Amino acid sequence: MRRMRLVTAAIGVASAVALALAGCSSGDAGGGGRQTLQLWFWGAPPQQQQTMKQVLIDGFNKSQSKYTLQVTFNNAVDKNVQVALSANKGPDIVYGSGPAFSAAYATQGKLADMTPYAQKYGWQDRLLPAMYQSGTVDGKLYSLPNSIEDIGVFYNKKVLAKLGAQPPKTYAELVSTMDKAVAAGMYASVTGNQGWKPVNQNYISLFLTQVAGGKKVYDALQGTIPWTDPSIEKAVQASADFYQKGYLGGKDYATLNFDQSVQLLSQGKAPFMLGPSLIFQFASNYFNDKNGTTDDLGWLPFPSVDAGRPYPYPTLGTTASLSINAASKNKDGAAAVIDYMMTDGFTKDMNKSWPGYWAVPLKNFDLDAASYTGLSKPFVTAMKDTIATVNKGNYGFFAGTFFPPATATAFTDIDSVWLGKESAADFLKKVQTTFAAEKAKGLVPPLPQPGA
């Protein structure tokens, strides 16, 4: 849902069409009589592409003798997939922005029902229930997440020391330190949606979780309360107040992306960067062992806005989704690749050199943080803690993962409230109308009820 396209310009539709028409092979014979499987992925940096080649491509190809996996890297992957699927072509394994992305294609008949494979491989028993169910539509499985994530606080330890502050344990301490930073001529925090407006979903999801609470959002998703409920209106207004105080990148929110923001954090321009845990992958460019700066970066779950709520209380989401193309001639092979990615061994190896993107949603996330280096160590620790909290039932919902697709898109337009163009009440009336239409179509995934 939020990948390197955050920092690079998308290529044009023409090239997307060209790739769709050229790369829609499936079932072609590979070397040694193997069948070729195609996966289109975002244009990851060279080091991360090398990790994917060694761990996923080489690892999967050596694990069996029937298939040869090929991966194409391109920053316009979402557009390419859209064009290809519309022509009943495209890769065998469909990589997407998340369950909401996949649900839209599932309802159009573009994705295969993965339920039989889930039964064959035991995915439902192996994965976190909320994560498994987020990929279902009308009781059938159409996608699995590649990674969980939470929305929290990255902090520069040296900047906090300069401000005479400690890592915030409470929301009041977080706000107090941000005010100190502004008074010292810094950003309160850095982040932004430049190039990818769905970044907005991070922050409205955060406030829905922290102010309304996971149970209220669950009730709204079940239709037992409307989205116009006062508790949800309060959360939307709180997000607007937060934005208008400059706590989300100040006046530069619309011109910053994640990579620029974490660079500013490393340069001591702000004490905090607020955002999803996938930012670890961007942060590793600036906080690393090579430069001796790994320990300058800290991470903590977002402090509770409601003191009566358990802490930590994650805003549970996913980084991306994996599906099977309904037009694939090698659905069994595509399922085998996805199964390979839903394993303990794959998870351990990917996180050695690619923090932030591969917290595979295993119930038993059995990684030893002490065996990792660089930012992989704090990332593994953070995700182990998040999964332990989720297993207790304490969490809220990220819009792009758990909301039906058009409702998630409606929440992307939360900046209309942040910028004072409409009231929280009017905004939620539109959300309710959109949601009601999707609920009537059965597009709301079945979700386990969170606690608190």
Side-chain angles (χ1 to χ4, degrees):
M1 62 187 160
R2 299 158 297 252
R3 304 190 287 267
M4 202 59 172
R5 59 189 171 191
L6 299 171
V7 297
T8 57
I11 64 173
V13 173
S15 57
V17 173
L19 179 58
L21 296 178
C24 58
S25 63
S26 182
D28 294 337
R34 292 175 174 235
Q35 297 295 303
T36 300
L37 300 171
Q38 298 280 352
L39 165 63
W40 294 353
F41 199 74
W42 63 274
Q47 180 181 350
Q48 295 171 345
Q49 290 189 24
Q50 183 63 23
T51 297
M52 198 151 188
K53 178 182 183 305
Q54 292 175 347
V55 179
L56 176 60
I57 301 173
D58 294 347
F60 175 76
N61 290 341
K62 291 177 182 176
S63 72
Q64 44 73 48
S65 59
K66 295 178 65 176
Y67 307 104
T68 297
L69 175 63
Q70 296 179 349
V71 178
T72 300
F73 297 92
N74 194 300
N75 280 322
V77 62
D78 282 357
K79 175 58 70 176
N80 294 341
V81 166
Q82 177 186 2
V83 173
L85 293 186
S86 67
N88 295 321
K89 296 181 180 296
D92 301 280
I93 302 105
V94 178
Y95 166 83
S97 296
F101 171 95
S102 301
Y105 289 117
T107 59
Q108 298 169 26
K110 301 298 183 182
L111 300 179
D113 175 12
M114 294 163 57
T115 309
Y117 297 114
Q119 295 169 347
K120 174 182 177 180
Y121 290 114
W123 290 339
Q124 193 162 5
D125 293 333
R126 197 189 312 169
L127 305 178
L128 293 170
M131 292 289 95
Y132 178 89
Q133 293 176 7
S134 70
T136 62
V137 176
D138 199 20
K140 297 179 180 178
L141 181 69
Y142 287 97
S143 72
L144 287 177
N146 75 312
S147 176
I148 69 161
E149 66 176 15
D150 183 18
I151 300 170
V153 181
F154 292 88
Y155 59 92
N156 186 319
K157 297 175 184 177
K158 290 184 176 178
V159 174
L160 288 186
K162 183 177 179 180
L163 293 172
Q166 297 293 321
K169 296 179 179 178
T170 66
Y171 182 70
E173 290 178 0
L174 173 69
V175 169
S176 174
T177 301
M178 289 196 291
D179 289 342
K180 284 184 180 178
V182 172
M186 304 178 185
Y187 289 95
S189 75
V190 281
T191 187
N193 70 352
Q194 190 271 328
W196 187 239
K197 188 175 178 180
V199 164
N200 293 355
Q201 291 180 8
N202 290 292
Y203 306 107
I204 183 57
S205 300
L206 174 66
F207 276 88
L208 288 173
T209 296
Q210 292 294 334
V211 178
K215 176 61 167 57
K216 284 290 186 182
V217 176
Y218 172 85
D219 289 344
L221 287 168
Q222 302 310 303
T224 56
I225 64 170
W227 285 98
T228 53
D229 185 86
S231 64
I232 296 177
E233 182 178 339
K234 181 181 178 182
V236 170
Q237 185 57 52
S239 76
D241 294 342
F242 195 82
Y243 177 88
Q244 290 165 9
K245 289 179 179 177
Y247 294 156
L248 289 177
K251 293 184 289 185
D252 293 335
Y253 178 78
T255 59
L256 290 174
N257 58 43
F258 281 172
D259 186 68
Q260 293 166 337
S261 296
V262 77
Q263 184 177 23
L264 289 170
L265 183 69
S266 72
Q267 293 171 343
K269 304 296 184 183
F272 304 121
M273 180 174 180
L274 310 179
S277 49
L278 72 79
I279 289 171
F280 272 104
Q281 70 174 344
F282 301 96
S284 60
N285 293 327
Y286 307 102
F287 298 91
N288 50 59
D289 291 348
K290 180 180 179 181
N291 295 329
T293 53
T294 299
D295 290 339
D296 292 345
L297 184 70
W299 153 272
L300 52 83
F302 197 86
S304 294
V305 177
D306 181 346
R309 188 157 290 126
Y311 181 78
Y313 195 80
T315 302
L316 184 62
T318 62
T319 304
S321 58
L322 302 164
S323 302
I324 299 175
N325 191 337
S328 170
K329 297 177 182 177
N330 279 320
K331 295 183 181 65
D332 290 353
V337 173
I338 293 173
D339 182 67
Y340 186 82
M341 300 170 78
M342 295 294 123
T343 62
D344 184 68
F346 173 83
T347 306
K348 288 179 177 175
D349 289 343
M350 286 298 287
N351 280 287
K352 289 178 180 175
S353 57
W354 192 341
Y357 209 79
W358 298 102
V360 177
L362 302 170
K363 287 181 181 176
N364 184 19
F365 191 77
D366 188 25
L367 276 64
D368 179 10
S371 67
Y372 290 86
T373 60
L375 290 185
S376 291
K377 182 179 292 185
F379 174 71
V380 166
T381 299
M383 293 301 98
K384 286 174 69 77
D385 292 345
T386 299
I387 287 176
T389 302
V390 170
N391 279 329
K392 294 177 183 176
N394 297 329
Y395 57 88
F397 301 98
F398 178 72
T401 297
F402 295 102
F403 295 7
T407 302
T409 299
F411 272 104
T412 301
D413 293 330
I414 182 62
D415 51 4
S416 65
V417 182
W418 294 350
L419 297 172
K421 295 180 179 179
E422 66 179 335
S423 68
D426 288 344
F427 171 79
L428 288 170
K429 288 177 183 176
K430 293 192 293 187
V431 169
Q432 176 61 31
T433 299
T434 300
F435 174 77
E438 290 196 297
K439 189 173 188 302
K441 295 177 182 177
L443 293 178
V444 181
L447 299 172
Q449 181 174 313

